[in-house]
Amino acid sequence: MKQITKYVIKNSLKRIFLYRACLVRLKLMGVEKVFSYTLANETGVTSEQVRKDFSEFSIKGNKRGGYEINDLLGKMEDIFHRNKDHNIVLIGMGNMGLALSKYSKFVQRNMNIVATFDIDPFKQKERSGIPVYSMSRLKEIIERFKVKVAILAVPEISAQEVADELMRHGIKGIVNFAPVLLKVPPDVVINNVNLCDELESVIYYVHKQLKIDGFKNLELLYRDMKY
Amino acid sequence: MKQITKYVIKNSLKRIFLYRACLVRLKLMGVEKVFSYTLANETGVTSEQVRKDFSEFSIKGNKRGGYEINDLLGKMEDIFHRNKDHNIVLIGMGNMGLALSKYSKFVQRNMNIVATFDIDPFKQKERSGIPVYSMSRLKEIIERFKVKVAILAVPEISAQEVADELMRHGIKGIVNFAPVLLKVPPDVVINNVNLCDELESVIYYVHKQLKIDGFKNLELLYRDMKY
DNA sequence: GAATTGTTGTGAAACAAATCACAAAATACG
DNA sequence: CGTATTTTGTGATTTGTTTCACAACAATTC
C-alpha cells in the first residue's frame, strides 16, 4: 500500500553530523581528545545535549578523560555504515542534477553516484565523469551495482512516475528535489529537499526579525532561534 | 556579538509550505473549498494538526464550511510577504551556484536573484540571464536592490569570510550551502542546507529499515493503518 | 591512600509538540 | 423553526525532547 510518508530526520541525527564534521576538523588540527563541552561550544549546543545524543547512539566516553577523537569517528563510521561504499543513482540531468553529479563531497564520504539517467537523448552523454544513460537501462544498472538509494532531480510532473519505477527495481531510499510529496510504501524512506521552501523560510524569519527589531523582544527571538 | 546560531525552521512552518503547495494544486484543479481533513489526507498529517497549525498563524475557517482556498492562499501570501518581490543575491558560481541561478521556481515565487558574484574572473560573465559580478560590486548591488537575503554557495574555506562581508553590507538572512557553521550575530538568520547530510541520513535510515525488515514489526503495521 | 577535581552518564524535571476529545458554530433538512 | 449533522477551534492529555542536577568514576594532588 502506498501512502504519504512524512519522513523527518531526527534532530539528534542531524546533530551527530555536526559533531562529526567538527571532529574531522579538530583531528586535522592535531587534536586527539575532546570533552562534551568542546563539541558543544563548537557546534552551538549544550554539553548535556552532546552527551545525551551520544548516549542515544550508545557512544561511551571516559569519565574525566572525555572522548578520543579517533574512537568517536570510528564509532560514527559504524553508525553511518561508512566503512563500505554506497552506490547511488541520480535521475534527472537538468541544472540541479548536473550540479549534484559534479558535487565532489559525496565521493569524499564514500557515496558514489555510479550512473545518472535522463529521458532527453541530448543529455545522454558523459558530462562530469559519470555516464548519463537512458531510463531504459535503470533496472540493469540498479541491479548490477546493488543500488538502494537514489537522488531524484526530475521535474515535479514526472517525479511520482519515476519514483514508482525506482521502487519497482528495488530502491529503498530517495532524496527528492522535486516539490511534490511522493506516495510510497512505508518501507521506503523519502527525504524531501525543497530549495524554494528553504529560501522562503529565511525570508519569513528575516521579515519577522526586522519587525520585532525595534522593540528588542528577546524572548521571541530566542524561541525561534535554537542553538 | 557573533555566535553559532543553529537556526531551525519550525515544523509548523514547513507544514504550512506543504499545505500551500497542496492548495495551489487543488486550485488549479478547480476546487474552491477545502476541509482540514482534505489537506490532511493530501499532506500526510492529521486534520487536528492542520487546524492547530492554522491557528498558530491566526488563520480562521468557517465552522462546517471549511476553508475557502482563495482566502487561505491570500492569508498565506500575507504571512510569507509574497505580495512584494524579494531581491536575493547569490554568491559563488560553482556547480551549485550555477544550478541555483537557473532554478526557475524561485522566480515563480517572487524571489528574484538580482545578481550573482564570484571571485573567479572566468565565471564573471552572464550564464543564465543573471549577471555575474566580481565581489567588489557586492556593496553597490546590495544597496541598490535593498537585498536582505543571500544564498551562499562558495567553498567552505571562504564561507565565513564571505558571510562576514555580506553582513557588513546589511544582509540579514543566509541560505548556506557550505558545510560549515557560520558564526553570526543573533539577529542574522542562517539556514544551512547540507546535501551530504541529506543523502547520508537517507542511507542511514535505509540500512536501519533493511535490518528490521525481517520482522515487519508493529510500528510499521500501525503506520499502515493510520492513513 | 585519602581528599580534591573534572567529566561522564542518566534519572528527574521542565518544556515543547502532537493528539485527543468535545463544545461551539454553521448548515441542512424535515 | 427545531433537530441532526458536519466541521472548526481549542482546552486537556499524551508523547517527545531538552535541560537540570547529581551520582559515579577516573585522574590528580597532597
Side-chain angles (χ1 to χ4, degrees), chain B residues 1 11 26 28 34 52 66 78-79 85 96 104 106 113 121 129 135 141 164 173 187 193 205-206 209:
Chain B
M1 184 196 56
N11 286 337
L26 289 171
L28 280 174
V34 284
K52 265 271 151 84
D78 288 350
I79 292 169
D85 278 14
M96 196 50 61
S104 56
F106 291 145
I113 299 177
M135 294 297 285
I141 302 287
D164 289 343
D187 65 322
V193 178
Y205 282 114
V206 166
Q209 189 80 261

Side-chain angles (χ1 to χ4, degrees), chain A residues 4-5 7 9 20 42 81-82 105 109 156 191 197-198 200-201 204-205 207 225-227, chain B residues 3-4 6-7 9 20 42 57 81-82 105 109 156 186 191 197-198 200-201 205 207 223:
Chain A
I4 291 165
T5 355
Y7 171 75
I9 297 170
R20 187 177 57 181
E42 290 289 314
H81 314 96
R82 288 246 273 135
K105 300 233 177 289
R109 289 220 222 164
E156 57 187 306
N191 187 10
D197 290 357
E198 300 294 343
E200 196 156 352
S201 59
Y204 172 77
Y205 281 116
H207 272 256
M225 297 173 94
K226 280 203 179 173
Y227 302 90
Chain B
Q3 63 192 34
I4 292 165
K6 205 196 89 195
Y7 173 76
I9 298 168
R20 187 177 59 182
E42 292 289 315
F57 290 90
H81 313 95
R82 289 244 276 135
K105 300 233 177 289
R109 288 220 222 165
E156 57 187 302
N191 186 11
D197 290 358
E198 300 295 344
E200 197 156 352
S201 60
Y205 282 114
H207 272 256
R223 273 173 63 193

Side-chain angles (χ1 to χ4, degrees), chain B residues 4-31:
Chain B
I4 292 165
T5 356
K6 205 196 89 195
Y7 173 76
V8 179
I9 298 168
K10 275 172 96 178
N11 286 337
S12 54
L13 183 59
K14 283 194 193 161
R15 285 192 302 263
I16 293 278
F17 284 127
L18 279 185
Y19 305 148
R20 187 177 59 182
C22 175
L23 288 167
V24 169
R25 239 189 26 250
L26 289 171
K27 187 180 174 178
L28 280 174
M29 289 163 60
V31 184

Side-chain angles (χ1 to χ4, degrees), chain B residues 147-159:
Chain B
V147 182
K148 288 276 164 282
V149 173
I151 300 174
L152 198 56
V154 302
E156 57 187 302
I157 190 77
S158 46

